[in-house]
Structures are given as C-alpha cells and as structure tokens.
Amino acid sequence: MAATTGNTIKETLVIIGSGPAGWSSATYAARAQLKPLVFEGAITEKNRMAGTLPLGQLALTSEVENYAGFPHGNLGAFLDSALPAERRQMMAPHAGEGVTGPELMELMRQQAVNMGTRIVTDDILKVDFSKRPFKLYPSEGGVVEAECVIVATGASANWLGLPSEEKFKNRGVSACAVCDGALPRFRNKPIVVVGGGDSAVEEATYLTKFASKVHLVHRRDELRASKIMAQRAHDDPKIEIHFNTGLAEVLGDDAKGVTGVRLASTIDAGKETTLEATGVFLAIGHTPNTAFLDGQLELNPKKYIVWTKHFRTETSVEGVFAAGDVADDYYRQAISAAGTGCMSALDAERWLAAQGTH
Ligand code: NAP
C-alpha cells in the first residue's frame, strides 16, 4: 500500500472514495495505465459511527440481489479463489447463496488492485482545487499533488442516533429497503418505516411486497412526500400511517434481533405505544459526503456535487470529476454508482490526454 505520512507525493490521478463508484473508476483508470491512487478512507470509530468506513454504504448492507452479474451460486468457492487469504479471513463466512454487500465490495476492490490500483487507507480531510496540480491533505499528514481528481465519496444515510438503532443495525435495522427488504426476516412480518418524504413512502410501498403490514411513522401531521406518493401510502391497505409519532427505541434481543419498537407521540408528552416488528427502516434522508470539499466545487442546494455537463462527470473545476452517490441524489444504486465510476475514469483519461499528461 502507498503511504503519505510527512511527504509530498505527486500523482497523475487520485480517486477519493471506495464504494462501487470509486472501485469501478479505479479499475478503468488502472487498465488505461493511469496508475490511480485511491484514498479508501480511514478505519476509525468516528467513521464507523458516521457510516463512512472504507467500502462505503454497501459494506453496511447484507444480501445484494440486484447487482447484475451476481445470481445465486457457489459464491463461497469463488470468493476463496478471488480474494487474498488475509482479507478473506477478516470477512464473515459466506452464509447464503447470494453475494453480500461486503463481499461485492471486496471483489470490486480486488479487481481494482489486480489492475494495478494503489490504495491508501486514509481520509482526505481537505483539498485545494484553486490551481493545478491540485493539493489533497490526508489525515495522517503529508500532501498529495494530483493532476486530476475523481471524487467518489458517496452519501451516508441519516440515522436518528438512538443507541438501540445502532445496536440492531444489520439485524433488523436498515436504511435501504431495496437492499434488505426481501430478506427472510422481513417476510410476512410487520415492519416499521420512519420518515415522511418520498423515500419513506417508496420504501413503505416496496416493503408491502414482503411484509404482512408496514407501519409508517412520521413526526408531523402530514407527509412531506409528493401528492401522488402520499396518496399511494394512504390508499395502500397494508400501510398504516402513524402521524405525530417518533421512534423512541428499537426493541429486540441478541438472539432474534429486532422484535418491535417503542413509539412516542410528538404532540402528547408521555404518550407511548409499542408495536411488534421484525424490521425498522430509516428513511429520513441522506447526506452527501462533501463537507471536506469546503465549497470548492459547485454543490446543489442539498449539498450534492453538480455535474456541469449533461451526461458527463465533469464538475465546476476543470480536471476534477465526480462519480456515484456524491453527485446523485436520485438513483442511489450500487450499479448506477459503478456506471458513473466508469464514466468518470473515461472522462478523466480523455481530459488528461488533452492536457498532454497521458
Ligand atoms: P426528504 O424529502 O428530505 O424527507 C425526509 C423525511 O424524513 C421528512 O419527512 C422529514 O420529516 C423526516 N425526517 C428528517 N429528519 C428526521 C428526524 N430526525 N426524525 C424524524 N423524521 C425526520 O428525503 P427523501 O424522502 O429521502 O427524499 C429526498 C429527495 O429525493 C426528495 O427530493 C424526493 O422528492 C426525492 N425522491 C423522489 C422519489 C420519487 O419521486 N420516486 C423517491 C425518493 C426520493 P419532516 O417532513 O417533518 O421534515
């Protein structure tokens, strides 16, 4: 692995971020002989709590059934053959037949490494995009000078911050219905969704395919979701909306994971109810990981990076590209992130060639 401590290092292309966008970008860039250096993020408690550990949001999910190319099969043997033993040993044993989020991410990382990608397990805390070469400041010290940068730092699901929510993450608590909703633990059982926006309604509607009932818990007396989506929630016999209600605690135990919730009225102090549920889905918005950019790239009002050209990954600073959820608050899928990762590497390669750098 590359190291930066105390040094100034000079690079052609630096990719910041290690989700599907970052690795797909790195695979393409390495294959194009750009020798990319990936900052995959630091392994710290702070990043764990913020959901920004290396390998991104997918590493926080369980089974992934909708990533093209990964049907059920003998994945245990495949993982053993594709991954180095030292990283394989750090992972949970392959439990089922479908690929899991962490497994998929390890495979993407390995593919990028196989092509010649170098990796630093550290965060970039600060950037200077005011002139080229761009300067990047890793948390461990030193400076990285880069001709070209791809930002693929993703977004993090917002959480309420309850200790019980943290305790049952991946054991019934999730922030992604499309990722986790079809798992056996949610089949024909009641489920709780928290939030009142389009995402919450979409997740609740999606979950009715599997759950016996979906309780939509919203803190106000009307949904924020668009009219048509809100109507869909009201009309669905499997969805019960609990207005003026907040999630006070996720209930459960070590053996079963989530078994229910304690809800508290937001208008009637002290009024509480409990519900049985095997799952709790948070849909209270996402926050793109753009704070470290400190306003140096144009962001939209929701703080996502703006792609300045239609169907291109260019940003407001020439030579800086963006890929994945950090620039996408609409699709937010692993496969669309990987797609824009590929696009960003091709855009970077062409731009570097035009500069005479590659
Ligand atoms: P959102 O519109 O910001 O809604 C977030 C919801 O979470 C709001 O109802 C909010 O309550 C609630 N919330 C926020 N913080 C909370 C907290 N601490 N405790 C309890 N509740 C909390 O986010 P979103 O639903 O993810 O949508 C994001 C964007 O994507 C929107 O522009 C949306 O239209 C779009 N989107 C579109 C579709 C679609 O068209 N199919 C699907 C998904 C998302 P309040 O209402 O009280 O603020």
Side-chain angles (χ1 to χ4, degrees), residues 322-344:
D325 284 13
V326 76
D328 171 19
D329 63 348
Y330 188 75
Y331 294 108
R332 297 194 306 228
Q333 299 299 303
I335 199 149
S336 51
T340 56
C342 152
M343 288 159 66
S344 69

Side-chain angles (χ1 to χ4, degrees), residues 160 195-199 202 218-220 224 229 283-285 302:
L160 290 170
D198 281 330
S199 293
E202 198 167 67
H218 182 39
R219 63 183 174 184
R220 288 187 299 124
R224 172 179 296 279
M229 299 279 282
I284 58 171
K302 290 186 272 180

Side-chain angles (χ1 to χ4, degrees), residues 203-223:
E203 303 237 322
T205 307
Y206 179 78
L207 289 167
T208 58
K209 289 199 243 181
F210 314 106
S212 58
K213 175 165 194 155
V214 177
H215 297 279
L216 182 58
V217 171
H218 182 39
R219 63 183 174 184
R220 288 187 299 124
D221 62 354
E222 62 172 348
L223 296 175

